[in-house]
Amino acid sequence: GDKAFAQFLTDEIKEEKKIQKHKSLPKISGGWELEVHGTEAKLVRKIAGEKITVTFNINNSIPPSDEEETQEEQKPDEQEPELTSTPNFVVEVIKDDTKQTLVLDCHYPEDEIGQEGEEESDIFTIREVSFQPTGESEWKDTNYTLNTDSLDWALYDHLMDFLADRGVDNTFADELIELSTALEHQEYIKFLEDLKSFVKCQ
């Protein structure tokens, strides 16, 4: 059984490498620096008096596919639909002269992806906003967290503009999907390779 498993993995790795779009991770425009630790990625950008960091994790970032639809619509010679990684991401804005960090928890709404119709709509939304003490690694549940569901639209729009002024806009969100998808695929191939060595190990 293990031999067959290892052979399957070898073929699978070949296939995945064939369809791998990016040999190296795509860059994000606008002077963001990328740090990757396993499945977690962090983008950092400094502008006058501020440091902006965007963190995301590729685990569980691929939305579930609607199996039933694709079966019927797929023509026999078609490739499987491409998997896209749309992770939640957290934006932290740190001002040099304050002890607080503004934290915005953003995500890609599932129904928005791939709908080209409305040019105006944002491809990501802000879910929660809070202040956290700068430099604390553990967030405190005792800090007030604003959920945007019940938020005044004008305030929400200002928050979106605030992010856009700092380089977190639709273009950024699009590029983040590209980056995350490439990263996810790279990690998947690495996982298959590790699994193969593990299975082969006697």
Side-chain angles (χ1 to χ4, degrees):
D2 284 4
K3 267 208 181 75
F5 192 10
Q7 187 50 53
F8 168 79
L9 287 167
T10 306
D11 298 343
E12 193 68 8
I13 291 163
K14 261 202 214 96
E15 280 307 300
E16 290 296 332
K17 283 193 167 157
K18 237 190 277 175
I19 58 170
Q20 193 173 15
K21 274 209 281 197
H22 303 279
K23 291 290 169 258
S24 61
L25 293 173
K27 293 261 185 290
I28 290 207
S29 54
W32 293 90
E33 283 170 34
L34 173 66
E35 298 167 27
V36 179
H37 306 284
T39 58
E40 187 169 272
K42 185 180 189 177
L43 292 155
V44 182
R45 180 175 189 237
K46 292 189 173 77
I47 52 177
E50 291 183 2
K51 176 177 161 189
I52 296 104
T53 67
V54 177
T55 326
F56 64 92
N57 195 318
I58 57 164
N59 280 338
N60 305 320
S61 64
I62 293 186
S65 61
D66 306 329
E67 281 297 302
E68 289 149 25
E69 283 179 31
T70 47
Q71 296 286 313
E72 290 162 26
E73 290 170 16
Q74 229 172 315
K75 298 176 187 64
D77 56 347
E78 265 185 38
Q79 280 284 303
E80 282 186 24
E82 239 177 87
L83 295 177
T84 314
S85 159
T86 50
N88 298 343
F89 59 97
V90 175
V91 184
E92 295 177 57
V93 181
I94 303 158
K95 288 194 187 263
D96 292 349
D97 48 3
T98 67
K99 299 273 187 295
Q100 286 186 314
T101 299
L102 182 64
V103 178
L104 301 104
D105 192 345
C106 303
H107 75 141
Y108 295 96
E110 276 170 34
D111 49 357
E112 291 294 318
I113 310 282
Q115 290 186 352
E116 295 300 314
E118 296 174 35
E119 276 306 290
E120 283 308 294
S121 80
D122 292 298
I123 61 173
F124 71 97
T125 58
I126 302 171
R127 228 187 340 207
E128 291 181 345
V129 188
S130 66
F131 278 111
Q132 298 294 341
T134 301
E136 301 264 332
S137 56
E138 287 302 307
W139 289 357
K140 295 184 170 48
D141 286 338
T142 50
N143 288 4
Y144 178 72
T145 301
L146 175 69
N147 192 310
T148 55
D149 290 345
S150 52
L151 200 56
D152 178 329
W153 275 106
L155 176 53
Y156 182 82
D157 285 344
H158 278 296
L159 284 169
M160 287 299 271
D161 290 344
F162 176 85
L163 282 181
D165 290 343
R166 281 151 185 82
V168 180
D169 52 14
N170 276 345
T171 308
F172 173 87
D174 264 336
E175 292 179 359
L176 188 111
I177 292 178
E178 278 280 295
L179 170 64
S180 180
T181 303
L183 187 60
E184 204 282 333
H185 198 206
Q186 187 176 293
E187 284 294 315
Y188 175 60
I189 291 173
K190 199 165 128 247
F191 172 79
L192 291 178
E193 285 168 342
D194 291 346
L195 187 57
K196 188 176 92 175
S197 338
F198 187 84
V199 170
K200 275 178 133 170
C201 178
Q202 292 304 331

